[in-house]
Amino acid sequence: MRLFICLFAACLPAASAFAQQVDETSLLNDKGEDTAILNYSAYKRSLSIAGVLQTRYMASLTKNVDVSGKNFDPATDKGITNSFLVKRARIMVRANVNDHFSANILVNLADFSGNPANKVLENAFIRYSLNKYFNVQAGQFRPFFGIEDALPVDIIRTLDFSNQYYAFGRNGWQSFQVGLSVFGDVTANGQLRYYAGVYNGNNRNQPLDDDNTKNLYARLEGTIGEHLTVAANGGTGSLGGTTTGNAYGGDFTGRIDLSHKWKLLIMAEWKSGTNFTAYVADTASPKPALSRYRMRGFYFFPTLRYEHDSPRMRAIEFSARYEYLDEHYRMDSNPRQTVIPNLSLIFADNFFATLQLGVALDFFKKDQPLTAVYSRNLAYAQLQIRI
């Protein structure tokens, strides 16, 4: 018995040492819990709802021009020269299924106030994010083909997007399209980024493509220093069975810190592209070559921002966007120039509550009576709330 006790006591130090050995292959944390993720189905799952409500009062400052910009004959048409309206009532739902898959749905309920055909639904896409170098999304979205596509859709720093944006959107180069897109960083520091994709090119909410040719686009974007970004865009495509056309352009955005309180924000963009809608609408026989139907535009958008930083007034912005657009510069050129001086009073950070006051001044080289191609001035007061 005495021999057995001695042998047991001799084994105790060895047993104690063995119990303190760290198992480097164990999946248990220091609390004895299993840290291995065996199912990523709901990893980082979340649901968020956001939106923007934009209400507006407009008044025409030009005789015999209504609030839509159309010249009218007062003998036969009284014309609506001032009006309140709801321009945007957007609701966006984003669902993160897990850390790789997400879905985004954006609708504009304000479209129900008019003819909602082919409207209302704006974004409707699924995104797969492998890492910062590779992301792919499929569905309905805005191709990254300029500054206004890259910026959040619910931040509008002046009356509206540029005339160029809407002109290129009507021709399938911008705005909401149905297709597939890939994007991500090229460099580890994120200073060089790429965007590329393929899509139908016949605009949003269409059940099918209107021809068998798909639009292709690419954008390369680089950041120089801390506050300057330059980019180049290019694309090819068609609309309604036309022959293949193209579009290309470049842009830059920058910020100059003048002082602790004052900042100068600058945006500028130039683009040229095929005007498919003008080609399709032309009834001439035979038609000129598609290469004759070209549009081009440029805008310069400086904004002087004062950081007020009081509890109720966060910032004040003074801006004056200048834009030049010619939708038929190779045939029947009639350029449109627009100047929009604007004052923004920002009551909540990141444009969550903003009051905007300004005037849109439009000048055409050749006015066309009884149409919207007519020089005019429009005053506006606009309140936008992000949620």
Side-chain angles (χ1 to χ4, degrees), residues 317-371:
E317 290 189 351
F318 309 89
S319 64
R321 186 177 72 200
Y322 168 77
E323 180 175 4
Y324 176 96
L325 175 65
D326 193 344
E327 296 189 57
H328 311 278
Y329 74 89
R330 287 185 177 172
M331 296 195 309
D332 193 24
S333 174
N334 188 17
R336 173 185 182 181
Q337 298 185 74
T338 303
V339 180
I340 306 179
N342 180 84
L343 169 65
S344 295
L345 305 177
I346 303 169
F347 304 108
D349 290 334
N350 298 320
F351 277 76
F352 271 85
T354 307
L355 174 65
Q356 296 170 308
L357 307 170
V359 181
L361 312 173
D362 277 292
F363 307 96
F364 288 90
K365 184 178 180 179
K366 296 177 289 185
D367 285 345
Q368 298 177 9
L370 305 182
T371 72

Side-chain angles (χ1 to χ4, degrees), residues 23-78:
D23 182 2
E24 300 292 349
T25 65
S26 175
L27 295 176
L28 301 180
N29 60 20
D30 57 0
K31 296 181 181 179
E33 298 168 335
D34 192 345
T35 59
I37 299 176
L38 302 179
N39 187 347
Y40 281 92
S41 296
Y43 181 59
K44 295 187 177 181
R45 180 169 293 180
S46 64
L47 180 69
S48 62
I49 299 176
V52 61
L53 178 59
Q54 187 182 68
T55 63
R56 181 183 296 173
Y57 173 77
M58 302 188 304
S60 174
L61 303 180
T62 303
K63 185 178 180 180
N64 299 335
V65 173
D66 64 20
V67 291
S68 70
K70 182 181 178 182
N71 172 237
F72 63 88
D73 183 354
T76 59
D77 187 352
K78 63 179 181 179

Side-chain angles (χ1 to χ4, degrees), residues 34 87 142 148 152 185 227 265 273 277 339 361 372:
D34 192 345
K87 177 64 176 179
R142 297 192 303 167
E148 292 166 299
D185 294 345
H227 304 305
L265 314 175
T277 57
V339 180
L361 312 173

